[in-house]
Amino acid sequence: MACFLVPAAEAIVVTAAFAVAKKKEQKIRAPHLADGSTFDSRPEKTPWSKKLSLLAGLLWGGILLLAFEHLWHGEIVPFPPFLTAMSNPVDRAQMLHEMATVGVTMAAAVTAVWGVICAVADAKLRRVKAKPVHQG
């Protein structure tokens, strides 16, 4: 019914954190790029803003698909209260239970998959950096 609202709340927070992280990283990188070059020659690891951008993309994509599915099945309507479960008190309890179980599980699963993706990417980047460059 409304399970997509939990990942939606996480997506809003992650999107805000992404904007803050990106702004902070730009301030940190600005002195290094002051000479006019646009290439930062010291990418030791993937920037935090890029990681947050990936998480936000995963969350927003899932939310859009779930919202469309709920709209398709008539669980979301274009007039207040927008969620059909909100019109009946008995359905509200079921909706809140679904949000607490299914919604939290979905949000946690997406975040866990994102964490694994980031860990694998960082490990590969460290391994590539550790290899000596052969000049021939």
Side-chain angles (χ1 to χ4, degrees):
M1 286 180 222
C3 57
F4 68 94
L5 294 178
V6 175
E10 181 185 0
I12 290 168
V13 171
V14 168
T15 302
F18 161 73
V20 169
K22 186 167 181 129
K23 203 173 264 192
K24 185 177 179 182
E25 288 170 2
Q26 287 173 345
K27 284 182 181 179
I28 291 171
R29 283 187 20 204
H32 298 291
L33 302 176
D35 61 354
S37 72
T38 57
F39 180 72
D40 189 0
S41 62
R42 333 167 281 107
E44 296 94 26
K45 59 181 183 173
T46 308
W48 185 241
S49 63
K50 192 166 200 140
K51 291 177 183 180
L52 288 174
S53 173
L54 174 63
L55 178 57
L58 290 170
L59 288 167
W60 285 117
I63 292 162
L64 289 174
L65 287 172
L66 280 169
F68 177 74
E69 186 270 336
H70 286 315
L71 182 68
W72 187 267
H73 288 103
E75 296 169 352
I76 299 174
V77 291
F79 49 85
F82 303 110
L83 298 171
T84 55
M86 292 294 292
S87 58
N88 185 350
V90 175
D91 290 340
R92 281 187 210 152
Q94 182 182 0
M95 178 190 73
L96 292 173
H97 181 265
E98 181 181 320
M99 288 172 64
T101 55
V102 177
V104 169
T105 304
M106 286 189 310
V110 170
T111 305
V113 168
W114 167 78
V116 170
I117 291 170
C118 290
V120 168
D122 284 345
K124 284 190 173 202
L125 187 59
R126 277 193 301 271
R127 194 173 65 210
V128 166
K129 288 227 169 254
K131 287 184 180 180
V133 177
H134 297 289
Q135 295 181 357

